[in-house]
Amino acid sequence: MNVMSQLKQPILYNFRRCPYAIRARLALLHAKVNVELREVVLRNKPKEFLATSPSGTVPSLKLTNTVLDESLDIMKWALIQNDPMDLMDMPDYGFDLISECDGNFKKALDRTKYPNKFPDTDPIASRDTAALFLYKLEKILSPNLFGTRLSIADLAILPFVRQFAHIDQDWFYDQDWINLIKWVDNFKQSSVFIRIMTKLAPWQRGDQPIMFSDLYCS
């Protein structure tokens, strides 16, 4: 079923490098759901975006009667529309892993990546805390989190592990998490990731609409 031709186009406010927005775009691409893309400059947020997003954060998906302001909610919404790869078919533990990623791991990631923002926190200790979660993933991966097939958990967690890996790539690739490194490298080299990382010009009112299907799924 080609959902793109059957749905009205919601509006996705997006920021290309944000891992939350990356995970949302991954789900939309796998679901083949079309949306209008509006790239946001975070230091100069458009009024239309601020009027749409209750939190003023990306991604934010404007539907006909509601707004989805959490990336995981956008992922679930997209895959409810269409899930040809059965990404939602995983053990409940997968959502526990996503919660841990979005909670303790993301907190430690931020304190590793942005030490100036957290002067009372030791970035090395934060890196070690983040590594505990990565070692947990290392023991699970085979080659993905739940076997050979990708799941929504893989798509939700990978953008954040990629972001963490880029803080200090020499250190990251010197660790003994062989499965994790393969998992991240396969993700970064995949055609899906390369497509959803296509650069967009910042959206301005009056611009010609940019459709997700035209940009990423052609």
Side-chain angles (χ1 to χ4, degrees), residues 3-4 12 21-22 48 57 72 92 94 103 120 153 159 166 174 189 203:
V3 177
M4 290 181 180
L12 179 70
I22 290 172
E48 290 84 357
T57 59
L72 187 57
D92 291 341
D120 297 330
H166 283 204
D174 196 40
Q189 295 163 12
W203 178 81

Side-chain angles (χ1 to χ4, degrees), residues 39-50:
E39 185 75 2
V40 173
V41 177
L42 298 182
R43 64 180 179 274
N44 186 24
K45 298 174 182 177
K47 293 179 180 179
E48 290 84 357
F49 165 63
L50 293 174

Side-chain angles (χ1 to χ4, degrees), residues 1-2 46 59 64 68 86 95 111 121 144 182-184 189:
M1 178 176 64
N2 187 348
T64 303
L68 299 181
D86 292 326
F95 288 105
R111 283 155 178 76
T121 303
N144 298 308
K182 289 181 180 178
W183 185 58
V184 174
Q189 295 163 12

Side-chain angles (χ1 to χ4, degrees), residues 62-98:
K62 183 177 182 181
L63 303 172
T64 303
N65 297 314
T66 190
V67 173
L68 299 181
D69 213 35
E70 297 290 338
S71 59
L72 187 57
D73 289 340
I74 295 172
M75 296 183 79
K76 291 177 180 177
W77 175 85
L79 294 171
I80 287 171
Q81 312 309 307
N82 191 37
D83 188 8
M85 294 180 62
D86 292 326
L87 295 170
M88 292 288 285
D89 182 14
M90 69 175 185
D92 291 341
Y93 180 55
F95 288 105
D96 294 335
L97 289 174
I98 296 172

Side-chain angles (χ1 to χ4, degrees), residues 163-179:
Q163 186 183 52
F164 180 81
H166 283 204
I167 297 172
D168 185 342
Q169 294 194 63
D170 289 339
W171 177 87
F172 182 86
Y173 283 98
D174 196 40
Q175 305 309 302
D176 59 348
W177 37 47
I178 298 172
N179 296 324

Side-chain angles (χ1 to χ4, degrees), residues 30-198:
H30 281 287
K32 298 181 180 174
V33 172
N34 201 9
V35 298
E36 179 185 340
L37 276 169
R38 294 183 177 182
E39 185 75 2
V40 173
V41 177
L42 298 182
R43 64 180 179 274
N44 186 24
K45 298 174 182 177
K47 293 179 180 179
E48 290 84 357
F49 165 63
L50 293 174
T52 295
S53 171
S55 66
T57 59
V58 291
S60 185
L61 183 66
K62 183 177 182 181
L63 303 172
T64 303
N65 297 314
T66 190
V67 173
L68 299 181
D69 213 35
E70 297 290 338
S71 59
L72 187 57
D73 289 340
I74 295 172
M75 296 183 79
K76 291 177 180 177
W77 175 85
L79 294 171
I80 287 171
Q81 312 309 307
N82 191 37
D83 188 8
M85 294 180 62
D86 292 326
L87 295 170
M88 292 288 285
D89 182 14
M90 69 175 185
D92 291 341
Y93 180 55
F95 288 105
D96 294 335
L97 289 174
I98 296 172
S99 294
E100 188 171 355
C101 171
D102 292 1
N104 291 337
F105 177 70
K106 181 63 166 62
K107 180 179 178 181
L109 188 163
D110 287 344
R111 283 155 178 76
T112 306
K113 184 177 175 64
Y114 307 109
N116 292 338
K117 292 183 179 180
F118 304 97
D120 297 330
T121 303
D122 180 356
I124 301 301
S126 296
R127 185 182 70 183
D128 292 343
T129 298
L132 295 176
F133 178 65
L134 300 185
Y135 276 113
K136 178 185 288 190
L137 299 183
E138 169 70 14
K139 294 177 181 178
I140 298 171
L141 287 162
S142 179
N144 298 308
L145 291 175
F146 300 107
T148 56
R149 290 195 303 107
L150 285 170
S151 69
I152 186 175
D154 292 277
L155 300 187
I157 295 171
L158 271 163
F160 295 91
V161 179
R162 169 186 172 269
Q163 186 183 52
F164 180 81
H166 283 204
I167 297 172
D168 185 342
Q169 294 194 63
D170 289 339
W171 177 87
F172 182 86
Y173 283 98
D174 196 40
Q175 305 309 302
D176 59 348
W177 37 47
I178 298 172
N179 296 324
L180 185 83
I181 288 172
K182 289 181 180 178
W183 185 58
V184 174
D185 283 350
N186 286 340
F187 170 64
K188 292 194 296 184
Q189 295 163 12
S190 68
S191 61
V192 169
F193 176 71
I194 292 169
R195 284 154 67 189
I196 62 104
M197 292 303 288
T198 301

